[in-house]
Amino acid sequence: QVQLVESGGGSVQAGGSLRLSCVLSGGTISNYSMAWFRQVPGRKREGVAAFDNDGSTTYRDSVKGPFTISQDNAKNTLYLQMNSLMPEDAAVYYCAADLPGAYCYPFLWCQYWGQGPQVTVSS
């Protein structure tokens, strides 16, 4: 029943910014652990950031500072603000959700996934 719909992907120049959005339907987002993953062809999908249902956040070391994960419970929406984007940040970005305690981040067993829009960074 839970579905995740992402938006905000696109193309930017190096040093630019994008904000990804992920709307959860079929449930209340504050009852879930949420996360962002990304994947480049030929590489394993990797965790980017997580927002637990208690409000705690976790970041991949390489994106600490430039990236910010946040959540608007009133809008049932998870965000990833990406600043200072570099070519190595280019990937398909996936929103994911699971029940609290599932600990699917930074692993790949999250129950629900968004469609994974592309983020492209040009130098």
Side-chain angles (χ1 to χ4, degrees), residues 40-116:
V40 176
R43 302 178 186 175
K44 296 187 297 183
R45 190 173 299 184
E46 62 186 23
V48 178
F51 192 101
D52 208 355
N53 71 321
D54 64 358
S56 63
T57 59
T58 305
Y59 294 93
R60 185 179 189 86
D61 286 345
S62 62
V63 307
K64 288 180 179 178
F67 287 19
T68 302
I69 188 170
S70 62
Q71 188 167 290
D72 187 336
N73 291 336
K75 297 181 179 179
N76 244 27
T77 301
L78 180 76
Y79 301 98
L80 184 66
Q81 178 67 46
M82 302 182 292
N83 297 328
S84 301
L85 282 162
M86 294 290 105
E88 55 264 35
D89 295 315
V92 175
Y93 280 73
Y94 296 92
C95 173
D98 212 330
L99 296 176
Y103 298 104
C104 72
Y105 180 92
F107 307 104
L108 301 176
W109 55 68
C110 304
Q111 287 191 44
Y112 309 106
W113 294 87
Q115 74 273 23

Side-chain angles (χ1 to χ4, degrees), residues 24-42:
L24 184 148
S25 62
T28 300
I29 196 169
S30 62
N31 292 333
Y32 293 86
S33 295
M34 306 294 296
W36 292 99
F37 294 78
R38 66 187 182 187
Q39 187 169 22
V40 176

